[in-house]
Amino acid sequence: KQEVTQIPAALSVPEGENLVLNCSFTDSAIYNLQWFRQDPGKGLTSLLLIQSSQREQTSGRLNASLDKSSGRSTLYIAASQPGDSATYLCAVNSDSWGKFQFGAGTQVVVTP
Amino acid sequence: GAVVSQHPSWVICKSGTSVKIECRSLDFQATTMFWYRQFPKQSLMLMATSNEGSKATYEQGVEKDKFLINHASLTLSTLTVTSAHPEDSSFYICSASPVSSGSFDEQYFGPGTRLTVT
């Protein structure tokens, strides 16, 4: 059974610093991995989707890498801003039917 | 971008009653929708996969007679929590995959429904 772990559980950084969020998964046979953002009491916003054949994806200040063989993905957020404060979830799709296994998330606080 | 809505966004009900939650894809058709549950400070757990015109597929440990799912059209799936109890209080989120995408990679999540059972 696929298990997804996110470290750290919480992170607080001053504005302007780069953020590094880690995600690990136990079964390397994945279709894709996706990073989401969740604001308190709200739904999910998709940030980046990485297919199993890709090693990284970039969107603006966000960059996500994938090392399938070691079961790891890292989300980098450059030059953090207070608006980046949220919980970031990593989700792994291990079957062809779109079922995601989610990590517990990393709660990020960016202080002005 | 594609939008998924949920209604209601927040509901309080008394123990023993039933409550229905709707998930709609507003500008696309979705053959498949997914229902997740999120307890406080925990991550999302997949409850069931809802397929238009057929029975839902439930994950292990999810009571299908308690959580009734109906996917009556390509834009609407409903989750009914029957005989709700306080332990059913949770944040319920749905996601939908556009028929046009040809795969499940593209999924859009609803804003969630917070259920409180008193």
Side-chain angles (χ1 to χ4, degrees), chain A residues 31-32 34 36 38 41-44 46 49 51 89 93 96-100 102-105 107, chain B residues 32 34 36 38 41-46 49 57 59 91 93 104-107 109-112 114:
Chain A
Y31 283 81
N32 54 62
Q34 194 157 176
F36 295 89
Q38 185 177 29
K42 300 293 180 63
L44 275 63
S46 177
L49 168 67
Q51 299 292 350
L89 297 169
N93 181 3
S96 58
W97 298 104
K99 299 178 183 180
F100 283 105
F102 281 83
Q107 185 175 10
Chain B
T32 301
F34 302 90
Y36 293 86
Q38 184 178 36
K41 303 294 185 183
Q42 296 184 30
S43 192
L44 279 76
M45 297 295 293
L46 179 66
T49 304
T57 304
E59 296 301 300
F91 194 53
I93 300 179
F104 297 108
D105 292 354
E106 192 178 350
Q107 285 191 35
F109 283 77
R114 183 161 303 282

Side-chain angles (χ1 to χ4, degrees), chain B residues 49-57 69-71:
Chain B
T49 304
S50 168
N51 298 296
E52 187 268 337
S54 64
K55 291 183 179 180
T57 304
I69 293 174
N70 183 22
H71 194 149

Side-chain angles (χ1 to χ4, degrees), chain A residues 19-82:
Chain A
L19 286 163
V20 180
L21 309 179
N22 298 299
C23 172
S24 62
F25 46 95
T26 54
D27 186 349
S28 62
I30 66 171
Y31 283 81
N32 54 62
L33 181 147
Q34 194 157 176
W35 283 94
F36 295 89
R37 168 185 173 138
Q38 185 177 29
D39 292 289
K42 300 293 180 63
L44 275 63
T45 301
S46 177
L47 298 175
L48 289 168
L49 168 67
I50 310 177
Q51 299 292 350
S52 62
S53 58
Q54 298 174 321
R55 293 194 65 83
E56 68 175 351
Q57 280 285 353
T58 298
S59 175
R61 295 184 293 112
L62 276 61
N63 174 276
S65 65
L66 174 63
D67 183 344
K68 208 171 60 166
S69 61
S70 66
R72 293 181 181 180
S73 177
T74 302
L75 177 66
Y76 301 91
I77 303 177
S80 62
Q81 303 168 358

Side-chain angles (χ1 to χ4, degrees), chain B residues 55-76:
Chain B
K55 291 183 179 180
T57 304
Y58 292 82
E59 296 301 300
Q60 191 172 7
V62 177
E63 300 175 58
K64 62 180 181 181
D65 294 331
K66 181 172 184 61
F67 299 99
L68 302 179
I69 293 174
N70 183 22
H71 194 149
S73 75
L74 288 173
T75 60
L76 173 65

